[in-house]
Amino acid sequence: MKFSDVIIVSVILCVFSTVSGGAYSSIKKMDCRIEELRHRTAALSFISESFYKTCEGNGFSSLDEWKTVCRSLWQLDSIEWDYLSADRKVIYGVWAGSSCEGKVYCRSKDE
């Protein structure tokens, strides 16, 4: 093998390894972002759906239990619920954490 062939192969390998390293780095960043979005989506889905079910009388035994479980399960900084109006027909829940935040409304179950 000629010396010029060795130099050409070395240059090609250097370029290939640089491009491969950059692509791997981009894929790793994208994978981390996808995992973060998956976690956020799961949290939003669980918290809001369990709120609706609890308001309908299914799921958790009370909204206070909903609040306690969701806070510990999703590491939320704050989570609260309250009645939106004086007639107590609409209930809302609001939460915030490092990975997600949201607000949800539900009509209270007619007794």
Side-chain angles (χ1 to χ4, degrees):
M1 196 181 229
K2 295 182 187 175
F3 184 69
S4 61
D5 292 342
V6 171
I7 292 175
I8 291 172
V9 169
S10 297
V11 169
I12 290 172
L13 287 175
C14 286
V15 169
F16 178 74
S17 65
T18 304
V19 170
S20 297
Y24 177 78
S25 175
S26 296
I27 289 171
K28 185 69 176 164
K29 286 179 186 177
M30 195 180 321
D31 187 49
C32 290
R33 180 71 177 140
I34 288 170
E35 194 59 37
E36 177 186 321
L37 289 173
R38 183 176 291 133
H39 177 76
R40 180 178 296 178
T41 302
L44 291 173
S45 177
F46 178 84
I47 295 169
S48 61
E49 290 299 320
S50 62
F51 181 82
Y52 292 136
K53 288 179 182 178
T54 304
C55 287
E56 293 171 353
N58 303 321
F60 295 108
S61 61
S62 70
L63 286 172
D64 289 326
E65 182 184 7
W66 165 81
K67 183 170 87 169
T68 304
V69 170
C70 289
R71 173 176 280 154
S72 65
L73 185 62
W74 300 104
Q75 291 84 36
L76 299 173
D77 298 330
S78 67
I79 181 169
E80 298 296 330
W81 69 272
D82 203 355
Y83 294 98
L84 188 62
S85 58
D87 61 3
R88 301 175 80 123
K89 289 189 177 184
V90 178
I91 305 171
Y92 73 94
V94 62
W95 63 91
S98 60
S99 63
C100 70
E101 61 182 45
K103 190 179 247 188
V104 65
Y105 298 89
C106 182
R107 287 198 179 277
S108 62
K109 182 180 174 186
D110 292 328
E111 300 294 332

